Amino acid sequence: MKKYEHKKIEEKWQKKWAEKNMYEHKDDQSKEKYYVLDMFPYPSGDGLHMGHTESYTASDIIYRYKKLQGFDVLHPQGFDSFGLPAENYAIKTGVHPKETTETNASNYIKQMKMLGLGHDLDHLVYTSDLSYYKWTQWLFGKFFENGLVEQKTDKINWCPSCNTGIANEQVEDGKCERCKTEIEQKEVPGWFFKITDFAEDLINDLDKVDWPEATKKNQKAWIGRSEGAKIKFEIRNSKFEMNDEILNDENEKSNVVLVHGCPSDKEKEMEPETRTYDKHWQPWIKKELEKRGVEVSFPLMPYPWTPIYEEHKKEFEKLDINENSILVGHSCGANFLVRWLSETGQKIKKLILVAPWNEPSHKNKIKAEFYNISEVDYSFKNNISEGVIIFTSDNEEKIGKDTAKMWTDKLDAKLIELKDHGHYTEGEMGTTEFPELLEEVLQTDNQGVITDLEVFTTRPDTLFGATYLVVAPEHLLIKNKELKINNYNEVREYINKAKNKTEMERLESKSKTGVKLEGLMAVNPANGEEIPIFVADYVLGGYGTGAIMAVPAHDERDYAFASQMNAERTRKYAERTQTDAKKIEIRQVVAQKFVGEGENAIRKDKPMTERRTVDVIIKHWEKDEFFCLDWNKKTGKNWHSFVVGGVEEGETLEEAALREAQEETGYKNMRAVKQVGGEIHSYFYAAHKGVNRAPVKRNCIYLELTDGEWEEPAEEHTKNHDGVWVKKDKVAQVINLSELKIYWNIFIGKQDALFTGQGEMINSGQFDGMDSREAKKTITEFVGGEMTTNYRLRDWSISRQRYWGCPIPIVYSPEGKAKFVGEKNLPWLLPEDVDFVPTGTAPLAKSKELKERTEKLFGKGWTPEVDTMDTFVDSSWYFLRYPDPENEKEFCSSEKLKRWLPVDLYIGGAEHTYMHLLYARFFVKAMHKMGLIEFNEPFLKLRHQGMVLDKDGIKMSKSKGNVVNPNDMVEKFGADATRMYMMFAAPLDEEVVFKEEGVKGVYRFLEKTWKLFQDKVLTDCEGDCGEIPKELPVLLHKTIKGVTEDIEEMKFNTAISKLMIFINEFSKHEKVPRGAMEKFLILLSPFAPFIAEELWYSLRESQTDADLTRTNAEEVESIFNQEWPKYNPEMIKEEEIELVVQVNGKLRDKIKVSADISEEEAREKSLASEKIQKYTKGKEIRKVIFVKGKLINIVV
RNA sequence: GCUCGGGUGGUGGAAUUGGUAGACACGCAGGACUUAAAAUCCUGUGAGGUUAAACUCGUGCGGGUUCAAGUCCCGCCCCGAGCACCA
C-alpha cells in the first residue's frame, strides 16, 4: 500500500499540468461562457498571504466546477503593478520599480502554481506594462474628448510624506491610507473624473446585480443621495457705520481716535486709568471697536480743569488727526470733541458721539463754561466728510438726551437711540445692556439686500423653525467684502483655526464651535424674520451649498450648536454686563402625530373637534413618586394616565396645568417647574363624547407639590378615576398611552426632547396642520426654492505627483491649453531619466526626455503634464483587458467583449466595497455612455471572502508577528489540505480562524480518502447486484446533489462536510463500487485538485490492464476533462422515513413509516405508539398537525 | 453617536428558511494496537439527572405570535466591522 505523500504528488502534477498547458485558455465557442474573476493582487514583496489563498481557492473551485459542468471558463490573472510601495522601495534602495515588480510577480506566480490554482498564467496582465497602460491612456483620451475628465483647481487632501494628492476615499482617520501620515489641505490643480455625473445610475443599477446586501448598502451610503431643497435667504448688512474701514487695505485704513472721558471734581487729580469712565466705559468701547477690526488710539484728554492739562494737551496735539480720521467721544469726551472741532476747524472723516453729557447739569463753573455748547459754532460740520452719528440713551437724567437731540439737528447727524446706556452707582459703572443693544443696533440698521445665500436642506418643511443660518468656514460669503462683517478679525481667526484643526482634534472635541457674523443678518423667506448668521465648522464646505438653515428644534446638530452658543454667549455677556444675551430661539414647527387604531380610530361619520390639552406630570412633595390616574372604575381596564386637562382660551400652559392639577388631585400647593417635550397631536375617536378628537394638541408640564395640603376634589373629578401615587421606576410600566410615554421618557432623560421625525406642521402660518412630508414641496414652492437631489460623492481626483504610475497623456500649449497627446502617440511612455526622490514637485517634471519629446512632437513652448494617474484608474478596467490581453489594435476586440463580458462572478475582499468597485462601475458606465461597450454593470455577481485571523482570533499583521505564510502550510500539509481547510473552517464570507489543528483534521480526511482507494476492493457492481449494500449508491447520489447545490451557493464548508460523510461511510465497507468512487473524485477535484488527479490516474491506470486496453498513463484523460456527475432523483427518494411524532410540539417518538404515508395512517400509527399513549392517555385530542414526510404533532 | 453584521456545546461551525437544535470538524475522555510513545482505529462527548432509562432544562436577556420559534414580532444587553457632524 502506498502512503499519501502530498509533496510528491503535488510536485508531480504541478509539473505535468504545466507541460500540458492545462490552464491555457482557448476560446471554445461551442460552449457557454463563464467569466470568474479575482481581484488582482498588488505584487508586494511579501508574496501571497492567506487572504489571497482563501479567495483564489474559492474562485478556483468555481472555475473547476464550471469547467466540469461543460462551460468555457475564463479564469485570468494579472497584477496591479503600478503603485507606491515599489516606488518607495526604489527611493530607499535605488532598485527600479520595474525590477521589483517583476521579481515579486514571479514569486506570486510560483505560489499560485504551488497552490494548484488554475489561472491562465501564460496570459497575465500587468498594469505597468506599456501594452496595458497604452490603453489606460487611450481610455483617458476618450474620457477627455467626451468631457468626462476635467481639470480643476481644487482643495485636495495632500499627503506631505508621499508628496501627493490623495482621494477622500483613501484617507483613513485623517491619515494617508498607505503611510499613515496626517493629511493636509492643499490647493492643487489636477484632473478629475466626473463620477458625480453618474451618481444616480450608480445607485439605481445596484438593483440589477447580485451582490451582498451590505455592500450595496455601503455603496449607496457612500454616494449619499439625499433629496431636499435649495432655498435662498436674503442677506442684509446691518452694519455699524465704522465698518467701511474695516475691510479696507491697510494703507486706506482710517485712524480712530477715542478720547478719554472727563474726570469729576473728585477725580480730577487721579490718573486717567483709575477714573470711573476711563476705567469702565472707554476701555469697553475700545474693546468693542477693536473686536470689529478697528485699531484705536486712546489718548489722554486735555481737560482744562485738571492739573495735568498742559501735558495732555501736548500729547493730544501730537496725534495724527487728519481728513481720514474718525473721532469717537463718550460722555464729556463727546462734548470735548464738539468744542475742539468747532475751535480748531480740523477736517476729519467721521465723528461718533456716544452718550453726550447733559450740559445744564454742570455746576462746576469751568466745566459749564467749557461745555457751553449752545454757543458753539456748528459750521464745523462741513469739515466732516462722512457725517456724525450719535448714540444716546433715554433713561438717565445725566445723559444728554436734549444735547443729543440738539446736535442731531445742528450737525445733520444720525441718531441711534439706546434703551439703556448704563447705570452709575457708587462710583462704579455697573450693569448695562449697552453691548447687547449696540449689537441690536448693528442688526437693525440694515442697508438692504446685499446678496443671496443659498442653503441646501432635506427638511424644507421646517423652514419656519429656521432661526439662524450657518456657513462653512470656507464659504465664499465670508470673503465677500461688501458685507463688512463687524467682527471680521474674530471670524478670520476662527476660520484659520478651523482650517488648521486636524481631524483628530475635531473628533476629540465633540462640542460644536462657531462665531456669529456680527453686522449681518438673513431674512427667513417664509416669515420675513431676521435671523443671525454664524460660521461654524460643523458645516462642511464641500457638501451641498456649504451653508445650512439651522432648525434647532428638529435637528440634533443644530440643537447642539444652538444650546452651546446660547450658553456661551450668555456667559460672555454675563462676564461683561451681567445680563443675558439674546438667545437663539428653538422653535418647534413639526408636531409628532399619533392616530388612534381599532375602536379608537377616527370615524368619518362623527364630528371633528379640535382641542388643546396639557398633560401634567406631578411629583410628590417629598417622595420620588408621581401622581397618575387609574381609570379602572370607568373602563374596567388597568389603564393609567397622567392628569390631563383642557387649556382654556387665553390661558398659558402653566396656568392650565396648575388649575387642572389642583382640581383633579385636590392638592393645593404646587409650582410649575418646566415644560417637558414639545407639542404632540393625537387623533382619535372619543367614544364617551361621540366625537372625533382631531386633533388633540397636547403639551406637557412638570409640576412639583410643595406640601401635602389637600382637600377632597369635587365628585365630577373622581367619578371616572382614582388618583394613585406611583413610584418613579414603575411609571413607565403603568402608563398606557404612547404620547404620555414619550413625555415620560423625555422627562426621565431616556429620550431626546428633540423630534426629528415627520409629523404635522405647527407654528408655520398657513401651513399649520399640513403633513410635514407634503409641506416639503409646498413650502419650497412658497418661498421660490427648488427641490433638488444632492450627493455626498465628489468627483474623483486622479492626479498624483508620483513616478510609478501611468503618465497622464496630456500636453499643454504655450498658452496653457490642455491637449490629449493623440492616439498615434500612445503609449505615452513613462520616462526613464527620472530621480524618484520626492521633492514636492512631480518626478516627471525632472525628465529632460519627456520635455524634449513634447516639444519635438508639438512644437516649441509645449509642455507635458507631469502627474501620473491614481492606480485605481488602472484597476478600473483590467477585467475588460483579460479576454484579449495581447490585442494591439484595441483594448479588447468587440467580439471578445461581447462573448465574455460582463463578469459572471467576482470574488475579493470587502475592503474594496467603496473605492475600487465604485470606480470600476463608473468606468463601465462612462464607457457605455461613450458607446465603447454594450453593458453598463461590470460584475453580475459579487462575493467577498472573510478575513483570515490567527488561532486566537486576532488579525494577522507583520507587526504582531502572527502572519501565517501559505508556503509553510503547503510544505507541511500540502496545497490540497491548505485549500480545503480554508474552505472548510468557515463560510466564505465570514472570518476564518486559522488553526493548524484544523488543517490536520482536513489532512486526516485526505489520508482517509487516499487509504480508501488503496485498501478497498473496487467492484464494478453498481448496487443492484447484491455485492454491496444499497446505502452506498444512495449516499453517492445524495452527495452529488448536496455538493452540487452547495457549490452553486458557494457554501464550500458544508460541501466539504458532505464529502467527509461520504468517505466516513464508504470506509466502513469492504467492497465499494468503482463508479461511485470515480464520481466522488470528480466531486472532490475542485477542492483538492492534486490528490483527485493522482487517484483518478491510479484508478484508470489500474483499469488499463484489466479492460480498457490502454497502454500508458499519458492516455488517461485528466480528471478535469471529465463531466460533473449528475444525481438520480429516483435514487435518493426515501421509501422509508422516520416520522417525528410530537405531542404539544415536543418530540416524543420517532416511527419508521413509508415516505408517502397519509395523514390518516400516520395518525393511527403514532397514536398506537406506547410512548405517545403515555401523553395522550385520558386526554382529548384537540388537533393534529401533519407535515407530509416529516412530522405529526398531536395537540391535547 | 450613526450604519451594517453577529451572539448556537470547551472550540470552528451545521440546521432544507417556522417543523427532530448541535451535521461535519477540532479538542477532550475511555478503549484497541505498541515494551513505550507517536500515528491509526473504535467508543463517548450540550447541561442536569439516573446503574441504565424515564424525565427536566437548554440557541445573549425579557416578553409576544404559533399546534410548533435558533428562525417571525416588540423591548433590552453584549461583541465585531465600517463611517465620522453629509444639513
Side-chain angles (χ1 to χ4, degrees), chain A residues 951-977:
Chain A
K951 60 182 190 332
D952 302 316
I954 299 165
K955 227 175 180 170
M956 288 186 187
S957 77
K958 254 201 210 159
S959 56
K960 288 196 199 99
N962 60 351
V963 177
V964 176
N965 187 333
N967 292 28
D968 298 343
M969 288 303 115
V970 171
E971 174 70 26
K972 217 162 167 180
F973 301 105
D976 283 339

Side-chain angles (χ1 to χ4, degrees), chain A residues 582-615:
Chain A
K582 198 173 169 195
K583 289 198 172 162
I584 297 171
E585 191 190 342
I586 296 170
R587 185 192 302 154
Q588 187 188 5
V589 289
V590 179
Q592 195 168 359
K593 183 177 172 180
F594 285 87
V595 180
E597 282 168 9
E599 55 185 13
N600 297 323
I602 292 289
R603 305 198 180 172
K604 290 242 166 69
D605 55 326
K606 302 288 181 183
M608 304 279 186
T609 57
E610 257 186 44
R611 205 163 117 90
R612 186 166 285 280
T613 65
V614 60
D615 300 318

